[in-house]
């Protein structure tokens, strides 16, 4: 058993400098989620001529690797003892791997079809590994910075501001740079690799004065700690409802370029759709913080999921009404998406704090490792869903030099993948949220109880 980490006294308020320093790391997390989720499937099918079903597998398989890797990374970070704390050394490890591998994923090899799929899949696998080294410890940090239920939401509010900016860059600027061409994708990959590196290093240096609450220590084997996470009902319910949210968003992300190109008739509309999606994140964070206090986080989460699901379903009427409805409906989706993004991570920090209070052990890395593994796999599974839906609809893959005309069944599949499927998935998350029970009162009760010897 490793010696426990000496902690500072339990503060309730995290300084603004640390909040900003932590939040800047979200440029990495949001960019690596949004860009492959939005552009990688389209890049494979419409630039490298990879069949839709195989492209879906390429996007999904490296993230499935996270199911095995992430819990290990979480365990390693739980057991790390260093002058930089248990989490921050791993931020540097991720920075050494992810940016370069990300650039090579979009380097545009002189290959087509299956060989191109293997090339992209290899470097996307390496990039996913670097992301795991960074993201798992990064997500464990808020639960260790403060022991206050609502302060975690305020802390993560700053994170969400940076996520909104990063998603805007990823969803608006990245497609504009890529521009559907091989050279464009290469340039986009290089530019965002630099952004990833800057964000990762920024979070490492920006959290050097972050407080470490509690005096817990990591104990037990990895299997025992995973078993403890599985025994946590709040964690399992939160993981379930978050997985539904992540899958719904992943399906919508992967389907957006196809929806823009084939339903709206304008490939450049991908950027406008993303502007409608992320715009609410830039100004509604204070509103969601207020709603979390007013309705508790569970009530606010139900409202956010309902907005997302209703907006996505409404967007399905676009072929009959025109583009104006698509942008209006996606704006409503964006209102819900902003709340979901803020609340699920605030609730994860609550779950970690609850487990620490009940068990007296530091297991946040294992919790976030499992969370991030499932999140990554589920998000990438969204591309597999879209790829499978398109393949079932008879979608024809191509490259810019050889454009094709899609059959009507493929056009119907595009609308289904972008609207109805994510709406149903998100609504299932709303139903699961009704079963979530870790409110502020329950957490206070657990924190006040004597810890096990």
């Amino acid at each position: 058993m490793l010696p426990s980490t000496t902690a500072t006294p339990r503060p309730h308020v995290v300084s603004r400098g640390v909040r900003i320093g932590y939040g800047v790391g979200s440029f990495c997390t949001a960019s690596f989620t949004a860009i492959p989720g939005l552009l990688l499937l389209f890049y494979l099918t419409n630039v490298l001529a990879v069949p839709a079903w195989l492209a879906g597998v390429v996007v999904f398989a490296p993230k499935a690797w996270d199911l095995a890797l992430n819990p290990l990374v979480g365990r390693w970070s739980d057991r790390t003892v260093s002058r930089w704390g248990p989490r921050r050394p791993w931020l540097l490890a991720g920075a050494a791997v992810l940016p370069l591998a990300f650039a090579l994923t979009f380097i545009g090899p002189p290959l087509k079809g299956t060989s191109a799929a293997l090339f992209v899949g290899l470097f996307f696998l390496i990039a996913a590994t670097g992301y795991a080294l960074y993201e798992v410890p990064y997500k464990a940090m808020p639960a260790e910075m403060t022991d206050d239920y609502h302060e975690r939401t305020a802390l993560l509010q700053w994170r969400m501001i940076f996520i909104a900016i990063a998603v805007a860059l990823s969803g608006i600027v990245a497609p504009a740079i890529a521009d559907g061409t091989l050279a464009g994708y290469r340039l986009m990959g290089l530019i965002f690799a630099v952004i990833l590196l800057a964000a990762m290093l920024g979070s490492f240096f920006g959290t050097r004065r972050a407080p470490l609450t509690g005096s817990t220590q990591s104990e037990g084997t990895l299997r025992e700690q995973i078993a403890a996470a599985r025994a946590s009902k709040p964690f399992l319910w939160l993981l379930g409802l978050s997985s539904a949210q992540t899958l719904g968003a992943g399906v919508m992300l992967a389907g957006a370029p196809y929806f823009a190109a084939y339903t709206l008739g304008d490939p450049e509309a991908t950027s406008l759709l993303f502007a409608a999606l992320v715009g609410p994140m830039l100004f509604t964070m204070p509103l969601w913080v207020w709603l979390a206090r007013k309705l508790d986080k569970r009530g606010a989460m139900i409202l956010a999921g309902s907005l997302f699901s209703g907006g996505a379903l409404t967007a399905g009427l676009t072929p009959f009404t025109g583009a104006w409805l698509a942008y209006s409906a996606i704006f409503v989706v964006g209102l819900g998406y902003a709340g979901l993004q803020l609340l699920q991570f605030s609730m994860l920090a609550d779950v970690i704090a609850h487990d620490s209070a009940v068990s007296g052990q530091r297991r946040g890395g294992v919790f976030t490792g499992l969370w991030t593994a499932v999140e990554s796999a589920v998000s990438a599974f969204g591309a597999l869903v879209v790829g499978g839906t398109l393949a079932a609809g008879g979608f024809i893959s191509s490259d810019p030099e050889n454009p094709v005309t899609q059959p009507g069944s493929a056009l119907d599949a595009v609308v289904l993948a972008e609207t109805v499927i994510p709406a149903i998935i998100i609504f299932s998350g709303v139903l699961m949220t009704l079963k979530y029970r870790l409110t502020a009162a329950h957490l206070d009760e657990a924190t006040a109880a004597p810890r096990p010897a």
Side-chain angles (χ1 to χ4, degrees):
M1 181 176 67
L2 294 176
S4 61
T5 302
T6 302
T8 56
R10 292 190 164 211
H12 288 286
V13 178
V14 179
S15 70
R16 176 172 294 184
V18 171
R19 292 185 188 186
I20 295 174
Y22 179 77
V24 74
S26 296
F27 270 97
C28 169
T29 61
S31 296
F32 188 70
T33 299
I35 293 177
L38 176 68
L39 297 179
L40 187 54
L41 187 71
F42 193 82
Y43 169 64
L44 288 165
T45 61
N46 285 48
V47 177
L48 301 183
V50 176
W53 69 268
L54 179 58
V57 172
V58 169
V59 177
F60 172 71
K63 294 300 187 74
W65 155 241
D66 288 345
L67 289 171
L69 176 63
N70 287 21
L72 289 174
V73 174
R75 172 65 169 162
W76 296 336
S77 73
D78 279 343
R79 297 177 64 85
T80 297
V81 177
S82 78
R83 63 188 179 90
W84 293 337
R87 313 296 179 190
R88 293 178 64 239
W90 295 94
L91 306 187
L92 282 183
V97 178
L98 172 56
L100 178 60
F102 180 87
L104 291 173
T105 298
F106 290 99
I107 200 65
L111 303 167
K112 298 291 181 182
T114 301
S115 57
L118 293 174
F119 180 94
V120 172
L122 172 63
F123 285 105
F124 191 43
L125 174 64
I126 298 173
T129 300
Y131 180 70
L133 295 176
Y134 176 87
E135 178 72 353
V136 173
Y138 178 78
K139 281 184 176 173
M141 295 176 73
E144 298 170 348
M145 291 185 193
T146 177
D147 60 352
D148 185 85
Y149 181 82
H150 291 296
E151 176 64 14
R152 293 188 195 101
T153 305
L155 166 63
L156 291 171
Q157 178 184 354
W158 283 89
R159 180 179 184 271
M160 296 314 302
I161 292 172
F162 284 105
I163 282 181
I165 298 171
V167 171
L169 289 174
S170 301
I172 299 173
V173 177
I177 296 173
D179 196 29
T181 67
L182 197 60
Y185 275 100
R186 287 173 176 167
L187 179 61
M188 182 276 297
L190 290 172
I191 290 174
F192 277 88
V194 173
I195 293 174
L196 289 171
L197 180 61
M200 298 167 89
L201 294 178
S203 64
F204 171 78
F205 290 108
T207 55
R208 65 188 181 277
R209 293 191 176 90
L212 178 63
T213 64
S215 57
T216 56
Q217 57 190 17
S218 174
E219 296 183 356
T221 65
L222 176 61
R223 179 176 295 182
E224 290 170 346
Q225 293 207 10
I226 291 177
R230 291 174 58 188
S232 171
K233 288 185 178 180
F235 176 73
L236 292 181
W237 277 112
L238 181 61
L239 184 63
L241 67 91
S242 174
S243 294
Q245 296 166 0
T246 301
L247 178 57
V251 171
M252 183 166 277
L253 275 177
Y258 301 95
F259 189 76
Y262 298 109
T263 303
L264 300 182
D266 180 8
E268 295 183 359
T270 300
S271 296
L272 295 176
L273 288 172
F274 244 76
L277 176 68
V278 304
M281 295 179 69
L282 297 175
F283 64 84
T284 61
M285 286 299 114
L287 172 62
W288 285 111
V289 171
W290 179 82
L291 287 171
R293 291 179 179 272
K294 191 73 174 177
L295 305 176
D296 202 86
K297 296 177 188 179
R298 182 180 64 178
M301 181 73 87
I302 291 171
L303 175 60
S306 299
L307 288 171
F308 191 119
S309 182
L313 195 60
T314 302
L317 300 175
T318 298
F320 306 102
T321 61
W324 69 269
L325 181 64
Y327 297 123
S328 301
I330 296 302
F331 182 83
V332 174
V333 169
L335 291 174
Y337 183 66
L340 296 179
Q341 288 290 298
L342 172 66
L343 292 165
Q344 66 175 256
F345 294 117
S346 179
M347 292 160 77
L348 174 60
D350 295 336
V351 167
I352 294 172
H354 177 267
D355 176 75
S356 177
V358 171
S359 69
Q361 298 180 31
R362 186 174 71 220
R363 300 192 291 215
V366 171
F367 277 74
T368 57
L370 290 170
W371 173 284
T372 307
V374 173
E375 178 187 50
S376 296
V378 166
S379 179
F381 188 71
L384 192 61
V385 170
V386 173
T389 303
L390 294 180
F395 184 86
I396 304 171
S397 297
S398 62
D399 59 60
E401 288 74 31
N402 299 284
V404 298
T405 300
Q406 300 293 342
S409 59
L411 300 182
D412 292 338
V414 167
V415 176
L416 183 68
E418 179 66 5
T419 63
V420 177
I421 291 177
I424 294 172
I425 294 171
I426 291 291
F427 186 70
S428 71
V430 172
L431 297 179
M432 282 185 276
T433 307
L434 297 172
K435 296 288 187 179
Y436 183 78
R437 293 289 181 264
L438 188 58
T439 62
H442 290 139
L443 186 57
D444 287 343
E445 180 181 346
T447 304
R451 292 192 179 191

